[in-house]
Amino acid sequence: AFGLYFPRKEYVENVYIDEPAGMPLLRIHALKDSHEEVAHFHLCQNLIISRARSHENNWFQIREKTGLLYLSKNLDRDDFNMLSVGNWMPLSKVMLYVFLSSHPFQEKECDSATRTTVFLSLINATAPACSSLTARQLCFTEMDLSFHIKENKPPGTFHQLQLPSVHHLCQNLSISYKLLAAEGLPFRYNENTTSVRVTQRLDREERERYELIAKCTVREGFREMQVEVPFLVNVLDEDDSPPFLPNGTDTADAVVEFNRKEGTVLATLTVYDADTTPIYPLESSRKKYTGTIVTDDPWISETFRVEHIFDEIHFSPNGSRVRGTRHEYKLVLNKSISVTEHRYFQLDVLVNDTEFHGPERSVMLHFNVSILPVSIQFSNVTYQFTVNRNAERFAQIGKICIENCMKFRGVNITYKLLPPNASCYPVGILQGREDKYGSLYVNDSSVLRRPDCKEIQYTVQATDKQSRKHTKTLLTVVLEGTLLRKEEDCPDSCAISKHRAECEECGGLGVLTGKCQWRQGSGKGITTNYSTCTPSIKTCPDGICDVVESRDPAVCPQDCTSGNIIGGHGKGTGNLGIKSGHGICYCFPRQNCYCEKDDIKEQLCDEVCKTVI
Amino acid sequence: SRRKRARARHKPCELRELEVSVSELGLGYESDETVLFRYCSGTCEAAVRSYDLSLKSMRSRRRIRREKVRARPCCRPLAYDDDVSFLDAYNRYYTVNELSAKECGCV
């Protein structure tokens, strides 16, 4: 993208019927890359009328040296009708491409990359009298005066304020321009040619936006009118700054201990660059700045990867706000690391600003990596749980977990109970797919009722899947409490009960002490704190359908139901369970759940069909 | 007026409709949106079967004593309308299904 370029992407102008041949329409400027270049302008021999149609250009020409676009042939009503046929727009517009080259055009080449678009609005009327035009129309086109100039390029003229067509038609008007707010800025207005010139090389890292005002004064006899419009210049960036490190920080510590999972970010180092980095296209911005691990150890290149993200930051060199880039290089685990791995080494990452042409185009980042082993062991207490003899199947007794297990990521520990010698075997252990702990639960409640079972010793074994390392500890389950008589006609699920009284006099799956527990909600609208009957308030409803609850839908449908919920409610995560409900929520396991205010006295039927008993 | 009442009582089972606000439904949702609530209403005298007469007779002969039985047909929805969605006062969307009747019948 070097060479000549246009300071504007588009130009607009109006064309009226029967304007004479030789009528100037607008001036197009080009800016240079080097002093020696000479700009040659050229029109493509096609007018684009709409997406589907184009027409040969017989009317418009451009002066090769000066960039003046003019009418070379009178455009009469027939031409107009021909150009606007099939153009469904009320105002017909035609489009021209103007090309730019540093050498005279040999042939009609229409594929040079440097082009700008001219939109001509064909107005179905003759040109209006100068006296009927407003000052705004006499001075400026409808388009904003907004330009872009590349940094580090030689000075040059990039715009002419005077409108050639107005100047041509309205000779008796005196129209003069001024550029305001330009003191101290590198722009000069030349009164003789009404052109604006950039007087020096611009530096985007100094300032990237200039906001001036173009003022126009129209005099007609004693009348004077003035118009002011904004005149904006944006400076385009090129890669002229090397990467640098904030505060010189080029080293970071990366410790691998409990979190050994693939995808873990271990450490981040930041590299700044005063240049902007365009986001699109993604591949090119990734290629522009590269970060590669410098190593010949295959284990390192397999186990680690570098992730690069960048975002825009702002800095203020001298009061103006300039955009720059912050690149972040994250050292990421490429695979899960075994618990036995134990190493220390330095890992170097080479960051390269590929488009910068200078000696300091790259920086080296250092990560001090320490991979610590973690031990798979139970803390040296033995577990002891007491279980009430009236507990039912799926009652949750407690959790079992090795040392630091909740901090583990990417370490798969499985828990197992080794069967005791005795025939008393009331509890089991279960583990969810993502769970780092084992949940101890009652899986045979008939054993709890046997008087010969009092204190049961188990051995718990935890095994790390990857390294096969395992550890054991003792677990004592003490049975306590006297057996209560079971109520008749109790459902097997606590959740069926609608009222406190019936809830607390029955048991159900998952109860710890033989009776269900009533949770009294606060009862305002649809709330997470709804009233309900549950085997244990601690675990149900808590918004999580845990591994024990999911074994049987009768244990805690409040957390696990996937069926219909009738009445005001909000569903839980993954559409499981009742997250929030209105009044009292109760469930018939494997069927519907209901949430309703208690005070609704249900009428089975209307007045007409009341049961006569 | 007696005749009027008698006539009114003989309106057959059919679909009626009512425009109600979501809050009035009493489901606990707070919303000012209105929904069209269709319900079933009317008598079902023309749908009495031998079953109903016999069941009534069994009951009066005390052959059925303890259970709750219904010895006359009842006007109920046979099908329900599509789901109703609305925005509540806390800017949350809710969808309620089987809220209003689409078709009524004596069952």
Side-chain angles (χ1 to χ4, degrees), chain A residues 80 201 212 261 352 364 366 375 384 487 571 606:
Chain A
F80 247 81
R201 288 176 183 259
L212 299 94
K261 196 184 167 89
N352 207 339
M364 191 66 94
H366 311 285
S375 51
Q384 178 162 350
E487 287 289 324
K571 281 205 166 65
D606 60 4

Side-chain angles (χ1 to χ4, degrees), chain A residues 79-112:
Chain A
D79 298 334
F80 247 81
N81 293 342
M82 185 168 59
L83 288 177
S84 17
V85 160
N87 201 335
W88 45 268
M89 303 277 285
L91 176 88
S92 0
K93 264 192 180 171
V94 297
M95 209 162 83
L96 284 162
Y97 290 132
V98 177
F99 292 86
L100 194 52
S101 164
S102 53
H103 53 84
F105 278 85
Q106 304 301 332
E107 56 208 83
K108 300 292 179 212
E109 39 192 310
C110 274
D111 52 358
S112 142

Side-chain angles (χ1 to χ4, degrees), chain A residues 525-526 564-571 580 582 595 597 600 604-606 608-613, chain B residues 26-30 40-44 59 68-70 72-76 92 94-95 97-98:
Chain A
I526 295 174
N564 278 332
I565 303 165
I566 289 148
H569 72 277
K571 281 205 166 65
S580 53
H582 177 231
C595 290
K597 266 267 176 277
I600 299 175
L604 287 168
C605 219
D606 60 4
V608 181
C609 49
K610 264 203 180 136
T611 336
V612 181
I613 300 170
Chain B
L27 299 174
Y29 300 112
E30 285 177 57
C40 297
S41 158
T43 64
C44 281
R59 209 164 49 196
K68 268 199 168 178
V69 292
R70 173 170 299 283
R72 46 171 67 186
C74 181
C75 179
R76 293 282 301 163
R92 290 174 302 203
Y94 286 103
T95 300
N97 45 25
E98 300 185 336

Side-chain angles (χ1 to χ4, degrees), chain A residues 225-291:
Chain A
M225 297 178 283
Q226 292 189 336
V227 193
E228 290 182 4
V229 295
F231 185 100
L232 306 173
V233 179
N234 282 297
V235 185
L236 294 185
D237 191 29
E238 63 173 21
D239 196 336
D240 57 350
S241 321
F244 67 95
L245 295 157
N247 319 330
T249 311
D250 64 350
T251 311
D253 291 333
V255 182
V256 181
E257 193 173 7
F258 299 116
N259 191 345
R260 312 173 88 86
K261 196 184 167 89
E262 189 264 321
T264 303
V265 177
L266 301 173
T268 305
L269 280 170
T270 310
V271 176
Y272 282 67
D273 191 316
D275 291 317
T276 56
T277 310
I279 289 193
Y280 293 105
L282 268 176
E283 299 73 43
S284 77
S285 55
R286 287 268 177 278
K287 280 198 199 97
K288 183 178 180 316
Y289 250 80
T290 56

Side-chain angles (χ1 to χ4, degrees), chain A residues 14-45:
Chain A
N14 296 337
V15 179
Y16 295 92
I17 291 187
D18 285 335
E19 284 190 322
M23 164 94 186
L25 296 171
L26 58 98
R27 266 296 295 278
I28 293 176
H29 292 80
L31 285 167
K32 303 175 186 180
D33 194 36
S34 64
H35 278 294
E36 305 77 63
E37 281 177 321
V38 181
H40 295 265
F41 297 92
H42 160 62
L43 266 189
C44 199
Q45 280 313 305

